[in-house]
Amino acid sequence: QVQFVESGGGLVPPGGSLRLSCAASGMIVSINAMGWYRQAPGKERELVARISSGAITNYGDSVKGRFTISRDNAKNTLYLQMNSLKPEDTAVYYCNLHPSSSRYWGQGTQVTVSS
């Protein structure tokens, strides 16, 4: 059974940093295209960053240059390093396959950027 467990969120001031983790089970992160997604209050869930099985990365325009997606194959874990955070980055962050599967959404991790 595929399961993703996100962690690492929290409250951070503007300009701060966080690193999110996504522990995967029931599947192998390194041979699948994976993505980080986020959903802000009142908005639809959006793709933030993705990484292919070949480790090619792509980012949404709003986070390009500030966020970095990576994975640790030995730990079967996906990461999202977020720097220079802005209030508009406030959302619940999720990991999933890319394209996403409705069967595999986890509980997400809340990121709040506020002074």
Side-chain angles (χ1 to χ4, degrees):
Q1 181 178 353
V2 175
Q3 186 176 22
F4 299 122
V5 179
E6 302 91 348
S7 62
L11 173 63
V12 62
S17 298
L18 283 173
R19 188 176 82 151
L20 306 184
S21 299
C22 169
S25 59
M27 56 84 70
I28 300 173
V29 166
S30 62
I31 62 173
N32 285 277
M34 298 290 298
W36 279 100
Y37 304 79
R38 68 184 180 188
Q39 187 167 22
K43 295 187 178 181
E44 293 188 355
R45 189 147 37 195
E46 63 173 348
L47 176 68
V48 173
R50 60 182 180 176
I51 183 168
S52 73
S53 57
I56 296 172
T57 58
N58 295 94
Y59 300 91
D61 288 341
S62 63
V63 306
K64 203 171 293 183
R66 300 187 298 122
F67 290 12
T68 303
I69 187 171
S70 64
R71 66 191 184 210
D72 184 325
N73 296 341
K75 295 182 179 180
N76 207 35
T77 298
L78 188 71
Y79 299 100
L80 185 68
Q81 177 67 44
M82 306 187 297
N83 298 328
S84 303
L85 282 161
K86 304 175 181 180
E88 50 264 43
D89 295 319
T90 295
V92 179
Y93 285 71
Y94 305 86
C95 66
N96 202 321
L97 300 173
H98 184 269
S100 63
S101 171
S102 60
R103 293 180 294 173
Y104 303 147
W105 293 114
Q107 84 288 351
T109 186
Q110 175 72 47
V111 172
T112 302
V113 184
S114 174
S115 55

